[in-house]
Amino acid sequence: MASFNKVRRFARSSLQISFLLALVFILFIAKNSDPSAVRDWSKLSAVKALKKQDIINYLQWSNSSSCRLSNDFGGAMALFGIDGQKAVCLDTEVRPIKGKCLVYSFGVNNEWSFEDTMDEYGCEVYAFDPSMEQSDHDRGDRIHFYRYGLGSEKVLRKIKGQQGWRLLPLSDFYKAMEKRHGSNRIIDYLKIDIESDEWAALPQILQSGMMDRVRQLGVEIHLPPKGNVDEFHRLIGILRSLENYGMIRFNSKLNPFSEQWMETLQSESYAAYELAWYNNRLRRNHSSYYYG
């Protein structure tokens, strides 16, 4: 009987130790896991309640499961990684249809890899950049360049040592380009890489109703290294307005060249992110992909 009691006490002690070890392991995993991978940030409502780490986690949230097949188009290898690539969702319901797709690209900076790749894929590409020392021209049969920039209103921005930059809202570009690509076309991919001007352009695109014509959107967002948390909340609010409208994020990448001390976040972080969404309102059914 004494031996049996010893065995029972030993078993009970072993069970307690195993339970404690399992608890420690669970706590360790929870502490060291990526919160952005656990939380469903698509349900974020109280933007002003976001703390500094929450802001970083929200921006880094890729929501990759929302797109089964996402590929990077373009990009150039540099010292710290690849820059200029844009994620494109190739799921049947939202992918650009080869030979029928339309791309608007704002911000080229003489690096044509994305535009050339979309051309090779079979899309007609309209590229815009007022900073390049090039006049309006066709870069081939399907790539058309214009020396204009995207903004929230019609304006001539004075640039020291350069010609003024003419900025227009997306709706104005679309009206002008309809003469070339036809009316009532869906923009299958809208690329925006315009060095912080995206914060003025994106609300205007929503307010004007032009987002109803955009099936996929890829934006490089730029964050101020200095400022207060309220400003970050305002910028996050703009992104949330896209997602509340119906844009489904499917990719997020850090820009490897933007790492720096972010005073507002009190951390070594990144000032630029490549984000990509598709428009849930413009999802096709399978038959429309193959026949229309």
Side-chain angles (χ1 to χ4, degrees):
M1 179 62 70
S3 297
F4 176 77
N5 288 335
K6 287 182 180 179
V7 170
R8 186 169 61 180
R9 285 196 297 271
F10 176 77
R12 185 185 300 120
S13 298
S14 299
L15 184 62
Q16 290 172 340
I17 292 172
S18 298
F19 175 78
L20 289 173
L21 288 174
L23 181 61
V24 170
F25 177 75
I26 291 171
L27 292 173
F28 175 81
I29 293 296
K31 181 179 179 181
N32 292 276
S33 63
D34 179 4
S36 66
V38 176
R39 179 169 176 178
D40 182 2
W41 290 98
S42 66
K43 298 178 181 178
L44 172 64
S45 57
V47 172
K48 291 186 178 180
L50 291 177
K51 295 180 172 58
K52 295 172 183 179
Q53 186 59 49
D54 293 329
I55 291 172
I56 295 174
N57 292 338
Y58 168 76
L59 293 171
Q60 293 183 359
W61 173 60
S62 68
N63 196 25
S64 59
S65 62
S66 63
C67 175
R68 300 182 299 276
L69 181 58
S70 173
N71 280 5
D72 287 340
F73 280 46
M77 180 63 73
L79 182 61
F80 300 113
I82 299 176
D83 187 29
Q85 77 275 32
K86 302 297 176 191
V88 180
C89 183
L90 297 178
D91 286 358
T92 300
E93 300 86 351
V94 296
R95 74 174 67 168
I97 299 177
K98 296 181 181 181
K100 299 180 180 180
C101 45
L102 176 63
V103 174
Y104 275 30
S105 175
F106 292 95
V108 179
N109 195 28
N110 292 297
E111 203 287 280
W112 291 93
S113 62
F114 170 77
E115 292 75 18
D116 288 342
T117 305
M118 295 306 294
D119 174 22
E120 293 170 5
Y121 179 86
C123 296
E124 187 176 9
V125 181
Y126 290 80
F128 309 90
D129 194 325
S131 71
M132 292 167 55
E133 296 297 323
Q134 295 188 29
S135 57
D136 298 353
H137 68 277
D138 289 338
R139 185 183 162 83
D141 293 337
R142 286 195 297 250
I143 301 180
H144 318 292
F145 174 80
Y146 297 88
R147 194 175 178 179
Y148 290 82
L150 182 66
S152 60
E153 59 182 350
K154 292 182 181 180
V155 65
L156 179 62
R157 178 180 294 174
K158 296 181 179 179
I159 305 295
K160 187 176 181 180
Q162 298 185 36
Q163 295 181 13
W165 292 4
R166 295 189 179 277
L167 306 182
L168 300 170
L170 180 61
S171 53
D172 284 37
F173 279 106
Y174 190 84
K175 289 176 183 176
M177 296 301 111
E178 277 186 316
K179 299 173 183 177
R180 294 200 68 167
H181 61 55
S183 59
N184 299 319
R185 292 282 302 276
I186 292 296
I187 301 173
D188 291 278
Y189 201 95
L190 172 59
K191 167 200 159 183
I192 299 177
D193 187 352
I194 53 178
E195 307 304 318
S196 294
D197 281 339
E198 66 273 8
W199 299 119
L202 289 171
Q204 196 282 330
I205 293 172
L206 273 175
Q207 293 163 10
S208 67
M210 278 301 298
M211 198 61 74
D212 293 344
R213 294 184 179 274
V214 177
R215 182 166 277 122
Q216 291 194 46
L217 172 66
V219 184
E220 181 172 87
I221 65 164
H222 303 82
L223 303 172
K226 297 182 179 181
N228 56 46
V229 175
D230 288 341
E231 176 62 7
F232 273 67
H233 287 161
R234 184 184 74 83
L235 301 180
I236 296 298
I238 293 174
L239 301 180
R240 285 301 299 149
S241 67
L242 294 174
E243 293 162 354
N244 289 334
Y245 158 86
M247 302 301 289
I248 305 298
R249 193 191 303 190
F250 64 88
N251 199 273
S252 173
K253 291 186 183 68
L254 304 169
N255 182 309
F257 305 95
S258 68
E259 185 178 16
Q260 59 181 295
W261 176 256
M262 300 291 287
E263 183 177 296
T264 307
L265 303 178
Q266 288 296 296
S267 68
E268 188 74 15
S269 189
Y270 292 83
Y273 293 78
E274 295 278 2
L275 303 181
W277 300 263
Y278 63 78
N279 191 336
N280 199 43
R281 300 184 182 193
L282 294 179
R283 290 170 62 93
R284 313 181 192 90
N285 57 41
H286 280 59
S287 61
S288 66
Y289 171 75
Y290 290 110
Y291 301 112

